[in-house]
């Protein structure tokens, strides 16, 4: 039996602008990336999330940029967050400068950086290190005309870590906090690996402890339109997904378009989580 139902008002563009098309798998060839960039353009999503080496391709296919067109979102310190702070700062700076060499900065066009925290430092309770690193990278990204999303990698963390990281990011003033990389596999006792990514429970914790100005990105776990609607209903404004086109095509089949907002009922069932996977 459903435990809770919420009603939200949406358009197709609202949903498209929630999606960062994920083009991050290590086996992706240039042809694979190009296919993803073409989907980014076709569906007019928020960004294409790419590895730094793919920035030239992203520039070729996505520029020129406007306030409403998809932006480029490179990842840094990815996926394990183990680089030094200086390396992460330099990587973020290099990525944004490379973009702006071909697409000059505009005050109303902000490209984005997704960075991974130093997970071991967080687990060890070295919060001064974690905060100083986030602040240094955020300062560098803002200086270069971008905005920062901070990846926690929740699969490795306890609730207390997630709450503390949310509070730190709020204090620093970053734009987004993000659940996962999509590659945070946890080794199980039998030797196999498991990965959850974003969960409704963790997203609710992040939203509860974040001020309204701090946006939340769910990565991993959002693979269906129903998943997308659920996370939107609890205050998530961005998702990282490879299944974006499928979700948006399903939305059109259900009558969600850009003619006018429609009201959609979103159901949360006891114990039912997101679909899992990236």
């Amino acid at each position: 039996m459903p435990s809770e139902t919420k009603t939200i008002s949406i358009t197709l563009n609202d949903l498209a602008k929630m999606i960062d098309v994920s083009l991050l798998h290590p086996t992706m060839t240039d042809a694979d990336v190009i296919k993803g960039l073409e989907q980014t353009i076709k569906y007019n999503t928020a960004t294409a999330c790419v590895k730094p080496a793919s920035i030239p391709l992203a520039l070729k296919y996505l520029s020129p940029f406007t306030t409403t067109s998809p932006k480029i979102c490179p990842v840094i310190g990815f996926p394990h967050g183990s680089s030094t702070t200086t390396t992460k700062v330099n990587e973020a700076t290099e990525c944004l400068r490379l973009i702006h060499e071909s697409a000059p900065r505009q005050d109303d066009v902000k490209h984005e950086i997704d960075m991974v925290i130093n997970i071991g430092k967080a687990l060890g309770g070295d919060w001064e290190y974690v905060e100083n690193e986030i602040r240094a990278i955020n300062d560098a990204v803002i200086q270069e005309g971008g905005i920062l999303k901070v990846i926690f990698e929740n699969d490795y963390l306890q609730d207390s870590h997630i709450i503390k990281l949310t509070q730190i990011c709020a204090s620093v003033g970053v734009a987004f906090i993000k659940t996962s990389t999509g590659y945070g596999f946890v080794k199980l006792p039998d030797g196999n690996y498991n990965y959850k990514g974003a969960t409704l429970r963790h997203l609710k914790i992040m939203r509860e402890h974040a001020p309204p100005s701090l946006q939340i990105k769910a990565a991993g776990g959002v693979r269906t339109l129903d998943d997308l609607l659920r996370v939107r209903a609890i205050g998530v404004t961005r998702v990282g997904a490879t299944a974006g086109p499928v979700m948006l095509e399903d939305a059109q089949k259900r009558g969600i378009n850009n003619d006018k907002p429609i009201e959609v009922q979103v159901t949360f069932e006891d114990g039912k989580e997101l679909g899992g996977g990236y």
Side-chain angles (χ1 to χ4, degrees):
M1 295 291 292
S3 59
E4 182 183 8
T5 299
K6 293 185 177 182
T7 300
I8 60 174
S9 180
I10 54 168
T11 65
L12 187 64
N13 188 64
D14 291 335
L15 296 179
K17 289 305 183 185
M18 287 183 68
I19 296 172
D20 289 345
V21 176
S22 177
L23 305 175
L24 300 173
H25 198 279
T27 64
M28 292 190 85
T29 65
D30 284 357
D32 295 326
V33 174
I34 289 169
K35 182 179 179 180
L37 293 169
E38 290 172 341
Q39 290 178 335
T40 301
I41 297 166
K42 178 180 178 180
Y43 295 98
N44 195 29
T45 64
T47 77
C49 201
V50 300
K51 294 169 284 188
S54 297
I55 290 174
L57 270 180
L59 283 164
K60 179 179 179 181
Y61 280 82
L62 299 184
S63 60
F65 300 97
T66 69
T67 55
T68 58
S69 69
K71 310 305 185 292
I72 301 176
C73 177
V75 293
I76 67 162
F78 194 89
H80 297 132
S82 301
S83 303
T84 65
T85 299
T86 299
T87 298
K88 290 180 182 178
V89 167
N90 290 341
E91 192 175 14
T93 301
E94 180 184 8
C95 286
L96 289 170
R97 288 182 179 176
L98 181 58
I99 292 170
H100 292 142
E101 283 175 4
S102 297
R105 286 174 59 167
Q106 305 174 57
D107 290 341
D108 56 354
V109 174
K110 301 288 187 182
H111 298 281
E112 303 175 6
I113 295 289
D114 281 18
M115 62 83 70
V116 188
I117 66 161
N118 188 305
I119 300 160
K121 293 290 188 182
L123 290 172
D126 192 346
W127 297 115
E128 182 178 7
Y129 181 101
V130 172
E131 180 169 354
N132 288 342
E133 178 173 86
I134 292 171
R135 190 179 302 279
I137 298 166
N138 191 54
D139 288 348
V141 168
I142 291 172
Q143 178 68 28
E144 295 297 328
I147 65 174
L148 182 66
K149 301 203 277 302
V150 176
I151 305 172
F152 293 179
E153 203 66 286
N154 286 349
D155 275 62
Y156 295 137
L157 305 177
Q158 301 298 316
D159 292 357
S160 59
H161 300 126
I162 295 169
I163 292 168
K164 181 66 174 180
L165 285 165
T166 300
Q167 293 168 339
I168 287 172
C169 289
S171 175
V172 170
V174 303
F176 284 85
I177 51 178
K178 176 179 171 182
T179 59
S180 322
T181 63
Y183 302 93
F185 294 95
V186 177
K187 192 172 184 179
L188 302 177
D190 64 3
N192 290 318
Y193 286 82
N194 186 46
Y195 170 74
K196 292 181 181 178
T199 66
L200 290 173
R201 192 177 73 82
H202 283 159
L203 290 167
K204 289 176 181 178
I205 290 172
M206 294 165 78
R207 186 68 278 164
E208 178 184 352
H209 293 275
S213 59
L214 180 53
Q215 299 185 69
I216 298 173
K217 176 176 174 179
V222 182
R223 296 196 55 80
T224 68
L225 176 59
D226 287 329
D227 286 340
L228 186 63
L229 295 172
R230 287 188 191 102
V231 299
R232 184 177 180 89
I234 62 174
V236 171
T237 52
R238 196 74 66 84
V239 303
T242 58
V246 174
M247 292 188 281
L248 295 174
E249 288 171 7
D250 191 12
Q252 290 176 293
K253 291 176 183 176
R254 297 195 202 180
I256 300 172
N257 55 49
N258 289 320
D259 293 338
K260 63 179 181 179
I262 70 166
E263 291 192 344
V264 177
Q265 285 195 330
V266 181
T267 301
F268 297 85
E269 297 179 11
D270 285 331
K272 186 172 181 179
E273 266 294 348
L274 301 173
Y278 215 100

